[in-house]
Amino acid sequence: TKVLLGCSLALVAGYTDSVSIVQHKAYASMMTGNLIQFSRFAVSPDGWEREGGEVLPDAVFIGALILCNMLGVIVFHMAEHLHKYGTTIISPVGAVVIGLMELAAYMDWGISSRLQLYPLTFIFGIQNAMSLVGVVGAPTTQCTGHLGNLAGALQKILAGKRGEAFNAKNGLSL
């Protein structure tokens, strides 16, 4: 079941990333790719200009996606810190967010498909954190795992557990 779960999570993330990179020049779950894209846009003057009707320039859009993913990791770890069954409490958030996104598309609320990557990236942050500490026990990608570790360390520091923030797993990323 661990292999099946890991394969299912990878399939969903891979499909979502394939669609999002083609349509929006950014990934929903792969932070390694987003860091590369961010670096590419950050050094180009065009990366800081809005194209067409876009709300944000590409560099800002992708930087915010990375932070949104890290927020998902922090929310997961905070739920785990605050309650014995934190994973059970936080898991339905993904289903609710996806349901709201589908409702928005059905009701034609006019939300740009590019902006819909933010909630997906937040959900993938939660998924990545669950994968790291859950039965799968592995990050989805190397850089994503390090960003997840850094976000976990930040959450520990914010929760007043500075000593735990620098454990062996987080120490690799720091």
Side-chain angles (χ1 to χ4, degrees):
T1 54
K2 288 182 186 181
V3 172
L4 182 60
L5 177 61
C7 289
S8 299
L9 293 174
L11 178 70
V12 170
Y15 173 78
T16 305
D17 280 336
S18 298
V19 172
S20 63
I21 191 65
V22 169
Q23 291 182 356
H24 309 296
K25 300 183 271 185
Y27 298 96
S29 74
M30 191 170 63
M31 295 303 106
T32 305
N34 281 342
L35 282 172
I36 293 168
Q37 289 289 82
F38 175 77
S39 299
R40 192 181 113 207
F41 290 123
V43 298
S44 167
D46 294 341
W48 297 99
E49 296 177 6
R50 294 186 305 158
E51 295 178 7
E54 298 299 341
V55 176
L56 298 171
D58 290 332
V60 175
F61 171 70
I62 293 172
L65 276 176
I66 293 168
L67 293 175
C68 199
N69 183 277
M70 292 178 77
L71 178 64
V73 174
I74 289 171
V75 166
F76 169 78
H77 285 292
M78 191 60 78
E80 286 285 297
H81 170 74
L82 294 174
H83 196 276
K84 178 179 177 183
Y85 299 106
T87 303
T88 306
I89 294 168
I90 202 70
S91 294
V93 169
V96 170
V97 169
I98 289 172
L100 288 173
M101 289 171 54
E102 289 298 318
L103 179 64
Y106 177 76
M107 300 296 289
D108 195 23
W109 289 346
I111 300 171
S112 151
S113 62
R114 191 175 193 203
L115 293 180
Q116 291 179 17
L117 283 181
Y118 287 112
L120 282 176
T121 302
F122 174 77
I123 292 167
F124 278 119
I126 293 172
Q127 173 190 314
N128 186 49
M130 284 182 184
S131 297
L132 283 169
V133 301
V135 294
V136 176
T140 55
T141 65
Q142 186 68 11
C143 188
T144 303
H146 286 303
L147 287 174
N149 288 344
L150 291 172
L154 178 61
Q155 181 274 324
K156 296 282 187 199
I157 290 169
L158 293 173
K161 296 185 173 190
R162 186 173 172 80
E164 292 180 28
F166 301 105
N167 67 17
K169 179 178 77 172
N170 293 336
L172 291 173
S173 296
L174 299 173

